[in-house]
Amino acid sequence: MLLGERRRLTDLAYRLLGSLAEAEDAVQETYARWYAMPQERREAVRAPGAWLTTVAGRVCLDLLGSARARRERYVGAWLPEPLPDRTEGDGRPSELADPADRVTLDESVHMAFLVVLESMTPAERVAFVLHDVFAYPFGEVAEIVGRTPAACRQLASSARRRVGAAKAPAGPAAAGQAGVVRDFKAAWEAKDIEALVGLLDPEAVMTADGGGLVGTVLRPVEGGGRIADYLLFIAGKAPGLRLLERSVNGRPGLVAQAGGVTVTVAAFDLTDDGRVGRIWVVRNPEKLRPWTGE
């Protein structure tokens, strides 16, 4: 039964940490603490699943606190780790995608949503995800966060305002996103700057994450025209890249491969009028392991 809780715990930890690798470490630590207890103490736990959730939440809360310091030293922008669908780890159905299959892909893992979660304090993020995403009552959230239920209610409310202010999607995927991404891919491959500019919102923003391990822009590129220019510059510098339409965190996105190996994953968000408003480009190879099988 306890091993059956692993997927739910990984679901929770990934949303709290934005990293599959860190989520798996947090879940492993949770189980290690369970099995480190004497057998009589384990047998005395009335609801082992609830115990595991409480411990996993506290482990993630601690990791979020230390992660803030680490990310201040991160080279360039830090983006959440993108996830493929179960059959799309490297573009073919394979056991390589199994790690990502342990996370349920829904609107609470869409890149825009995860990016907003990154703006929250650790306590806000834990309270919001536990209550609003996983429907835990504030009494249980309070035990994990170490605050009163009333304080946790305020934390979740503050987090909710952040989500609303950022207009992060909370419902079905934007209609037509697959078609827009397909047109975007065709325009990039054709080096058609007019088509790219037409698909991009004038105030679009592209953020890239290379982690200092691969070359990429260190600051967001702002404006549809500037993004189009940059994309064509990249197309000229890397003529061997192959673009593939793939699901990224449950929504239509693009994957770039070089020599059959995924080197870039791009997630998109559309504006209300159907243009590309945000692009998140992950190039850090350490964050692409679910796509490469490493």
Side-chain angles (χ1 to χ4, degrees):
M1 180 191 73
L2 284 179
L3 291 179
E5 296 283 338
R6 183 175 290 274
R7 175 159 185 166
R8 182 179 61 82
L9 295 174
T10 306
D11 271 347
L12 172 64
Y14 174 74
R15 287 159 177 79
L16 290 178
L17 301 172
S19 164
L20 181 60
E22 291 183 3
E24 291 177 331
D25 288 345
V27 173
Q28 190 67 25
E29 172 64 19
T30 299
Y31 277 98
R33 294 186 186 185
W34 170 263
Y35 288 110
M37 290 195 303
Q39 183 174 350
E40 59 271 19
R41 285 191 59 192
R42 295 200 302 269
E43 292 174 349
V45 177
R46 295 183 178 180
W51 187 96
L52 290 170
T53 299
T54 298
V55 173
R58 289 172 178 168
V59 170
C60 290
L61 187 61
D62 290 341
L63 287 173
L64 283 171
S66 60
R68 292 175 77 88
R70 292 198 310 273
R71 290 170 191 174
E72 287 177 357
R73 301 190 298 270
Y74 196 80
V75 178
W78 189 97
L79 291 176
E81 193 174 306
L83 293 183
D85 274 354
R86 179 168 56 89
T87 59
E88 295 183 347
D90 61 352
R92 62 183 187 274
S94 167
E95 70 279 1
L96 298 183
D98 283 350
D101 189 33
R102 290 199 286 275
V103 175
T104 302
L105 298 178
D106 60 22
E107 288 304 308
S108 65
V109 296
H110 179 46
M111 190 64 73
F113 193 81
L114 292 177
V115 169
V116 176
L117 292 182
E118 283 297 314
S119 70
M120 300 177 185
T121 68
E124 280 180 336
R125 185 168 184 167
V126 172
F128 175 75
V129 169
L130 283 169
H131 181 267
D132 284 43
V133 178
F134 288 88
Y136 282 88
F138 283 117
E140 295 181 20
V141 175
E143 293 184 20
I144 295 171
V145 179
R147 304 194 188 189
T148 66
C152 290
R153 192 182 303 275
Q154 291 180 342
L155 288 169
S157 178
S158 174
R160 221 171 284 129
R161 287 194 295 271
R162 291 180 188 264
V163 173
K167 298 182 179 180
Q177 178 156 325
V180 173
V181 171
R182 185 171 300 117
D183 291 343
F184 193 92
K185 170 180 177 288
W188 189 86
E189 290 174 328
K191 300 182 181 179
D192 187 339
I193 191 166
E194 290 186 6
L196 282 173
V197 171
L199 290 165
L200 287 157
D201 184 82
E203 297 182 1
V205 178
M206 183 186 76
T207 304
D209 177 349
L213 301 176
V214 294
T216 191
V217 288
L218 298 180
R219 296 182 179 180
V221 180
E222 300 180 352
R226 293 186 64 193
I227 294 172
D229 286 339
Y230 178 77
L231 291 172
L232 292 191
F233 169 76
I234 294 298
K237 294 269 289 185
L241 279 183
R242 180 188 178 207
L243 285 186
L244 302 171
E245 296 175 46
R246 291 289 181 262
S247 174
V248 180
N249 285 57
R251 284 204 173 182
L254 291 176
V255 165
Q257 292 187 341
V261 177
T262 296
V263 294
T264 302
V265 173
F268 295 79
D269 193 36
L270 304 187
T271 60
D272 291 339
D273 63 358
R275 287 182 165 189
V276 176
R278 293 297 304 261
I279 308 174
W280 297 278
V281 179
V282 179
R283 301 204 65 234
N284 183 340
E286 294 182 348
K287 296 185 178 184
L288 299 181
R289 289 170 181 166
W291 300 82
T292 61
E294 295 181 1

